[in-house]
Amino acid sequence: MPEDTLTIIDNRTGKQYQLPIMYGTYPNYGSAIHTIDLRQIKASDGDFGLLSYDPGLSNTASCKSAITFVDGERGILRYRGYLIQELATKSNFLEVSYLLLHGRLPTQTELDEWIWHITHHTIVHENIKKFMEGFRYDAHPMGILVSTVAALSTFYPEARNITDPEVRKRQIYRLIAKMPTLAAFAYRHSVGLPYTYPDNDLSYAGNFLNMMFKTVESKYILHPLLERTLEVLFILHADHEQNCSTTTMRNAGSSHPDPYVSVAAAAASLFGPLHGGANEQVLRMLSEIKSKDRVPEYLKRVKAGEFRLMGFGHRIYKNYDPRANILKDMTAQVLEVTGKNVLFDIALELERIALEDEYFIKHKLYPNVDFYSGILYKAMGFPVEMFPVLFAIPRTAGWLAQWLEMLGDTEQKIIRPRQVYVGADTRNYIEIKNRK
Ligand code: CMC
């Protein structure tokens, strides 16, 4: 019997099947069977065949991917083979975007050219401003972002030609370049401030901070630490393999629409509190705890099952999320500049006690990326409504890398899962006068 196979015995029929097992880069991490091979397993001749049932797709590999590797047991995250810690210290967001999209680090000439293209696509059509003005004065900036990025589809009809690599490339420049502009405009609309146009002399993060916060001064002075912090936050959020919004990007993209509407769909998935909104919940929790001395009492209530400790635990990480470690150190540095923050002291105390506590050890609950990101964003002056928007800007690079990978993968098809039907059998229509 071949070694790399799985033998299944169907006890309904006594029949035996051998299914081949496939492997990725690491044979002991992510081996899989092709679930279509289960279809041959039938209880009788008329049987459709066995499906696999997996709500939440928590044990389903929907693609092969060479972009991001996460080993949740050991707390490892790598983009294209490079450790996130190394990229966060040595690289910048645009270089990381290039890496995600092209699969390798750029040469100096390639990087210069890439940055030139992104910087020269940051302006949005003036009609976009008029479009934004249609939103109510208190519209949520994420709602505005999702709608306006979808609206870009109508400005660039050529984008529907997704089979042309040159056309695809142009839309990638546009999307990575325009997301910060749309995001800053969405914020300024929601607070009634005039829009600040992109400044091509600034870095990716610096330009975004300028568009967000410049008011009447002739030149907005960027603090280098805050600019670098945002750059690192963007690197950490750029991709995270097949999460909810990335899966949405692949889902939407699998029917071959233009990338603007697919990014809008992905951003809509990110808007939910279970994905892009958890750091807001962390801030609320820390404000509710109020002071360090109330931490033990709060944790008691978590352990009693009253509520969950927000910013702790992860579907994949059963160890310290490496992004949380980086953010913890950065928060301490940023608060040196922006001023002490009691929420950070409470967070440190929560982490200290939780990591020594039997409940958290037993359940393998560690701080995740959201535990410190909200404190950081707040310290930098971002309102909580902007938190999911701040996530969507860098994740656009990841979504586009995954979209490109999907388009180039000959095994991929339109995504169309099956279901286990549990509804009524055939029924006869009843005239309304005869219904009880
Ligand atoms: N506080 C207390 N107990 C927890 C927590 C928590 N934060 N998270 C999980 N548990 C317990 C849970 O009660 C369960 O215990 P038991 O087995 O005794 O019933 C056990 O751990 C497993 O929980 P689960 O819900 O089956 O685990 P999951 O992998 O489905 O959940 C999670 C992952 C992130 C939804 C969850 O840990 C959670 O709700 N955390 C708080 C919210 C949060 O911080 N979300 C941000 C996640 S990172 C965002 C991203 O990467 O996009």
Side-chain angles (χ1 to χ4, degrees):
M1 189 178 302
E3 217 176 80
D4 293 336
T5 55
L6 175 75
T7 302
I8 296 181
I9 299 172
D10 186 345
N11 293 324
R12 297 171 301 179
T13 58
K15 279 195 189 157
Q16 189 168 309
Y17 303 84
Q18 263 183 42
L19 312 188
I21 294 176
M22 63 177 280
Y23 298 98
T25 305
Y26 303 107
N28 57 355
Y29 205 99
S31 49
I33 56 161
H34 290 266
T35 49
I36 196 71
D37 289 345
L38 296 174
R39 195 73 75 71
Q40 59 184 303
I41 304 177
K42 299 179 188 221
S44 57
D45 275 351
D47 188 352
F48 178 76
L50 207 59
L51 301 173
S52 67
Y53 178 61
D54 187 7
L57 305 180
S58 55
N59 198 45
T60 293
S62 59
C63 60
K64 291 178 189 158
S65 182
I67 302 174
T68 292
F69 174 74
V70 183
D71 177 342
E73 293 298 324
R74 293 188 291 158
I76 294 171
L77 168 60
R78 294 189 216 121
Y79 295 161
R80 299 285 190 184
Y82 296 95
L83 273 174
I84 193 71
Q85 290 88 341
E86 201 173 4
L87 293 172
T89 347
K90 299 185 181 160
S91 189
N92 57 60
F93 173 70
L94 283 184
E95 187 180 59
V96 167
S97 309
Y98 185 100
L99 171 69
L100 289 170
L101 282 146
H102 297 81
R104 59 174 178 81
L105 287 168
T107 61
Q108 188 63 55
T109 316
E110 287 168 335
L111 182 63
D112 292 346
E113 199 185 313
W114 170 247
I115 293 176
W116 190 91
H117 281 297
I118 304 288
T119 331
H120 286 80
H121 281 95
T122 49
I123 294 262
V124 292
H125 193 289
E126 283 292 289
N127 281 2
I128 287 281
K129 273 172 44 190
K130 292 198 196 125
F131 178 82
M132 279 205 180
E133 273 151 26
F135 286 97
R136 275 179 63 89
Y137 70 92
D138 58 352
H140 195 292
M142 190 65 173
I144 301 182
L145 181 73
V146 169
S147 316
T148 37
V149 75
L152 287 184
S153 157
T154 64
F155 287 80
Y156 306 110
E158 63 158 1
R160 288 201 290 276
N161 185 8
I162 58 152
T163 52
D164 183 331
E166 281 306 310
V167 171
R168 286 202 302 251
K169 202 176 359 171
R170 247 188 328 272
Q171 314 322 311
I172 288 172
Y173 295 147
R174 286 181 175 136
L175 271 158
I176 294 179
K178 292 182 203 306
M179 281 300 263
T181 315
L182 296 180
F185 281 18
Y187 164 68
R188 295 185 72 110
H189 175 82
S190 68
V191 288
L193 280 170
Y195 305 130
T196 300
Y197 281 76
D199 180 340
N200 284 1
D201 291 334
L202 299 175
S203 68
Y204 192 80
N207 173 48
F208 178 60
L209 287 170
N210 188 61
M211 288 190 291
M212 279 289 296
F213 298 124
K214 183 175 186 305
T215 49
V216 290
E217 64 277 49
S218 57
K219 189 162 171 46
Y220 173 76
I221 309 290
L222 289 164
H223 192 294
L225 178 67
L226 300 190
E227 186 181 355
R228 179 63 199 165
T229 301
L230 190 60
E231 198 79 45
V232 174
L233 277 158
F234 282 173
I235 293 173
L236 300 186
H237 286 89
D239 196 54
H240 207 233
E241 50 121 305
Q242 309 309 318
N243 56 82
C244 179
S245 57
T246 301
T247 302
T248 306
M249 180 78 195
R250 282 179 174 265
N251 253 331
S254 76
S255 71
H256 295 179
D258 70 60
Y260 299 103
V261 289
S262 298
V263 166
S269 299
L270 188 67
F271 198 0
L274 297 187
H275 190 4
N279 48 10
E280 182 180 342
Q281 303 304 323
V282 173
L283 272 194
R284 287 190 205 290
M285 174 187 79
L286 296 174
S287 311
E288 194 191 318
I289 298 175
K290 283 200 180 82
S291 62
K292 268 167 67 171
D293 55 306
R294 288 164 50 113
V295 165
E297 180 56 31
Y298 193 85
L299 286 177
K300 232 186 242 169
R301 294 174 66 194
V302 170
K303 288 191 287 179
E306 273 188 55
F307 37 71
R308 288 189 169 200
L309 186 59
M310 297 313 290
F312 258 69
H314 198 277
R315 174 64 61 80
I316 308 280
Y317 292 112
K318 301 301 166 198
N319 202 323
Y320 216 110
D321 177 340
R323 301 168 300 174
N325 241 337
I326 297 168
L327 291 182
K328 182 180 171 184
D329 293 345
M330 272 173 36
T331 311
Q333 290 171 36
V334 165
L335 293 180
E336 291 282 317
V337 172
T338 59
K340 247 181 103 52
N341 183 330
V342 65
L343 300 185
F344 184 51
D345 296 337
I346 300 172
L348 288 176
E349 183 69 354
L350 261 180
E351 182 190 324
R352 188 185 68 78
I353 302 184
L355 292 186
E356 288 171 357
D357 190 287
E358 202 187 321
Y359 174 92
F360 291 90
I361 295 170
K362 186 174 143 234
H363 288 84
K364 297 189 176 173
L365 298 171
Y366 293 85
N368 60 48
V369 68
D370 290 314
F371 194 61
Y372 290 108
S373 65
I375 304 175
L376 253 183
Y377 288 141
K378 189 132 183 25
M380 293 172 76
F382 292 106
V384 283
E385 294 74 35
M386 282 300 283
F387 290 4
V389 174
L390 285 157
F391 197 155
I393 295 171
R395 188 51 64 88
T396 300
W399 291 332
L400 291 168
Q402 302 271 350
W403 173 71
L404 273 190
E405 187 179 67
M406 178 192 71
L407 293 178
D409 180 348
T410 50
E411 285 182 3
Q412 286 294 329
K413 334 170 158 196
I414 185 167
I415 293 182
R416 205 316 185 176
R418 311 295 309 204
Q419 62 173 7
V420 177
Y421 179 70
V422 293
D425 203 346
T426 311
R427 297 198 275 194
N428 291 325
Y429 184 82
I430 305 167
E431 293 298 333
I432 197 159
K433 61 179 189 306
N434 297 330
R435 289 180 214 158
K436 298 233 168 65

